[in-house]
Amino acid sequence: MGFGYLLVGYILAFIFTLGNVYFFQDIIGALVMLVGLSKLAMHQKNFLRAMWCDIVYLMISTARAMLMMFKIMQAEGILVTVFSVLTPLASLVMQFFLFAGIFYLAKEVEMEKESLRAKGSLMRILSYYILHIIAVLITPFLGNTVGNITALLVVIFGLVMLILNVSLIFSCYCGMCLQGEENGARPQSKYEWVNRFNEKTDKMFDGAFLRQPKEKKEKETVEAEPGYLRVKRKKKGKHKK
């Protein structure tokens, strides 16, 4: 359906870019997300908007990588400032439409839990980027200690946001499927190692990763024991004087 590609691309573009090692993960992630969004675009119009925003994000990331490769962009300068504004802005708009698409699609298929989580993701995304902009503007005036603490708090908030977003996309991958695939039958991959991995994980987690609607289990009513039995059990172990 597209959520699998979206999950892998999102992790590459936003989780792996938190480290110091750069291997074009933002570009690779944007490309993988593009595949997932193109598949999801036919189901919800916000995914189409997110796809176009992802193309813009991909272009910005590619331009930034090329400038870094040819050492045109230095550690400080006007280009760094430009990309420090453009990259978060493109990321913000793209993620906003992405989770708006999840919100409406989950609502349509009556996955209320995922719909509420998507609404929370939208609020956290907006809050994070507002805090990020405020931190960038005021950090130079706060001094080293306070500035570093402020930046660290924003980074922690962003990391928590990303983890929750990844968890939501994974829930959509597990819970949403195309019409006719409701019985949990996983489509076979053309790669044999992927099929083997899926089989092992399904056995390990007892089918938790199968994409099927969650059925509400009726609670089994346990018949209460007669009162005298409970009394006897309570007295059991007491020694008669």
Side-chain angles (χ1 to χ4, degrees):
M1 189 172 178
F3 282 112
Y5 289 102
L6 188 60
L7 177 65
V8 174
Y10 193 89
I11 292 172
L12 282 170
F14 298 110
I15 301 291
F16 276 76
T17 48
L18 297 175
N20 295 323
V21 180
Y22 183 70
F23 54 91
F24 306 104
Q25 58 266 49
D26 51 348
I27 298 173
I28 299 169
L31 285 169
V32 177
M33 279 194 295
L34 194 60
V35 177
L37 289 169
S38 65
K39 291 177 178 291
L40 290 165
M42 65 183 72
H43 304 291
Q44 224 290 318
K45 60 183 179 181
N46 281 300
F47 289 122
L48 180 62
R49 294 166 181 164
M51 187 183 77
W52 288 112
C53 294
D54 185 46
I55 292 171
V56 175
Y57 177 78
L58 176 62
M59 292 169 64
I60 293 171
S61 299
T62 304
R64 178 174 169 270
M66 290 178 67
L67 291 172
M68 289 173 63
M69 280 178 62
F70 294 106
K71 298 182 179 179
I72 297 173
M73 189 168 65
Q74 303 299 325
E76 295 180 0
I78 186 66
L79 287 174
V80 174
T81 306
V82 170
F83 280 100
S84 65
V85 173
L86 289 178
T87 305
L89 182 61
S91 172
L92 165 64
V93 179
M94 189 267 290
Q95 290 189 77
F96 180 83
F97 285 124
L98 191 161
F99 288 99
I102 291 176
F103 171 76
Y104 286 110
L105 188 61
K107 210 171 184 63
E108 187 179 333
V109 298
E110 298 180 352
M111 293 177 67
E112 293 298 328
K113 185 179 177 182
E114 280 70 17
S115 179
L116 289 172
R117 288 173 65 187
K119 190 175 181 180
S121 291
L122 287 169
M123 300 303 296
R124 281 189 295 271
I125 289 165
L126 290 172
S127 302
Y128 169 73
Y129 282 100
I130 290 170
L131 289 173
H132 176 75
I133 292 168
I134 293 171
V136 169
L137 292 174
I138 68 171
T139 297
F141 305 101
L142 295 177
N144 290 334
T145 305
V146 180
N148 290 336
I149 292 172
T150 303
L152 180 62
L153 290 174
V154 174
V155 169
I156 292 171
F157 179 76
L159 183 60
V160 172
M161 176 196 73
L162 290 174
I163 292 171
L164 292 173
N165 290 348
V166 167
S167 173
L168 173 58
I169 297 171
F170 181 73
S171 294
C172 293
Y173 169 72
C174 293
M176 289 189 194
C177 58
L178 295 173
Q179 190 173 3
E181 297 178 358
E182 295 89 350
N183 296 325
R186 188 197 296 274
Q188 290 294 306
S189 172
K190 62 181 179 180
Y191 302 107
E192 189 58 34
W193 66 271
V194 174
N195 294 325
R196 288 198 300 269
F197 175 78
N198 288 337
E199 288 175 7
K200 288 181 180 179
T201 52
D202 287 340
K203 288 178 182 177
M204 187 185 303
F205 294 96
D206 194 24
F209 292 159
L210 291 179
R211 290 174 289 175
Q212 57 188 2
K214 296 177 182 177
E215 296 180 357
K216 293 182 180 179
K217 294 181 179 179
E218 295 181 359
K219 293 182 179 179
E220 295 180 359
T221 54
V222 180
E223 193 174 332
E225 294 179 343
Y228 68 88
L229 286 178
R230 290 200 298 271
V231 173
K232 282 185 177 180
R233 289 184 179 180
K234 284 180 183 176
K235 288 183 177 180
K236 192 176 180 180
K238 289 186 179 181
H239 300 286
K240 294 181 179 180
K241 292 181 181 180

